Amino acid sequence: MGWAIALHGGAGDIPRTLPPERREPRLATLRRCLDLGAAALRAGRSALDVVELVVRELEDCPHFNAGKGSVLTSDGTVEMEASVMDGTDMRCGAVSGLSTVVNPISLARLVMDKTPHIYLAFDGAEAFARDQGVEIRDQSHFITEENIERLRNAKEANRIDYTQYNYTQPIQAPNDDDNSRTGTVGCVAVDASGGLASATSTGGLVNKMAGRVGDTPVIGAGTYANALCAVSTTGKGEDIIRHTVARDVVAVMEHRGLPLEEAAARVVAGVPRGSVGLVAVSAAGEVTMAYNTTGMFRACATEDGHSEVAIWPA
């Protein structure tokens, strides 16, 4: 069926009342990144190169919770995470606890390509970034006024993130209709040769404990790819880790013989409602974008001309 690509900008309780000024910049970025990735696949670039390229662009967009748009910990700091996996040979790389790296996804790929390891974190990952000469900035580069305000609201409401309504007491906080800003970003692709790859990047949860690691850098939870399919997830990290969501989609295909769409739907249905979304592609060029939340910022395109950019169910 040829090449295919899918990307996401986060899943959650995204209200249909989300105002255009909040909605349209995100959709425009998804369209631009989709076009960028599709053009790269048409030009013959590998799936691995394409997913890194697309996620770098999403990291550079302050409207999503990754890179420049990363949310803040309870200490008011940034701790970014990312991972990448090449389905051709199942090599993978992951990083977490980053506070100065402009494009965490590219550092994750360098971990994969340049070290004997899979996962580097915090001071060790930052030192590796400096050794590799990747672009770094002072932490203030990543701390936006919007995310300072979001942290303040979360602390006042005594909760973690806007997608988790775990108040000690009901509090009507400002901007509750804009919880979609918590969106992790990710991309999966299959190239013309049938090679598969997945990449995911995030800033974590608003008001999370410093040092918390979510699903994004955990291979098999937030990211997975092999010769059969590639998966990138988004949502509540603790639930995604518990259910090894990304790997389970592949496992259901492998061991139950189900097609991609049915396998993804079955896995998503097995996770607590409101917790997860994913994008996935198969070696045959199939695409699925499944979620059990109100909506998911998502986009996909295939060689046969199908293209979609959406938030909510049709």
Side-chain angles (χ1 to χ4, degrees), residues 7 11 19 27 61 102 105 121 123 128 151 154 173 183 186 205 208 248 256 267 274 276 284 289 294 305:
L7 50 148
L27 291 174
C61 174
V102 173
I105 195 64
D123 290 348
F128 178 66
L151 177 61
L205 298 174
K208 70 175 184 177
D248 268 15
R256 297 294 297 274
V267 171
V276 66
M289 302 186 290
T294 303

Side-chain angles (χ1 to χ4, degrees), residues 81 92-96 111 117-121 213-214 217-218:
E81 306 173 339
C92 46
V95 290
S96 64
V111 171
H117 308 302
I118 289 175
Y119 196 159
L120 293 180
V213 175
V218 179

Side-chain angles (χ1 to χ4, degrees), residues 76-212:
T77 57
V78 170
E79 291 181 355
M80 297 172 283
E81 306 173 339
S83 65
V84 63
M85 190 164 185
D86 184 351
T88 304
D89 51 17
M90 297 182 66
R91 292 183 307 129
C92 46
V95 290
S96 64
L98 301 180
S99 60
T100 69
V101 176
V102 173
N103 292 115
I105 195 64
S106 291
L107 189 64
R109 183 166 180 183
L110 285 168
V111 171
M112 179 180 77
D113 289 341
K114 303 292 187 180
T115 81
H117 308 302
I118 289 175
Y119 196 159
L120 293 180
F122 295 90
D123 290 348
E126 291 278 349
F128 178 66
R130 292 191 295 272
D131 289 344
Q132 293 297 308
V134 302
E135 184 179 3
I136 61 174
R137 297 282 188 92
D138 183 82
Q139 188 170 165
S140 61
H141 168 78
F142 305 94
I143 299 178
T144 66
E145 289 300 321
E146 283 188 316
N147 281 332
I148 291 172
E149 178 70 7
R150 294 186 69 223
L151 177 61
R152 185 185 69 79
N153 290 337
K155 284 180 175 289
E156 288 181 357
N158 191 29
R159 66 192 187 202
I160 298 173
D161 213 351
Y162 284 144
T163 62
Q164 298 183 48
Y165 295 99
N166 54 350
Y167 315 116
T168 53
Q169 295 179 348
I171 296 177
Q172 184 64 39
N175 296 324
D176 262 2
D177 66 345
D178 196 24
N179 54 26
S180 57
R181 269 187 290 183
T182 58
T184 294
V185 303
C187 181
V188 292
V190 57
D191 58 39
S193 300
L196 289 146
S198 176
T200 315
S201 183
T202 192
L205 298 174
V206 181
N207 201 29
K208 70 175 184 177
M209 293 175 63
R212 178 261 188 188

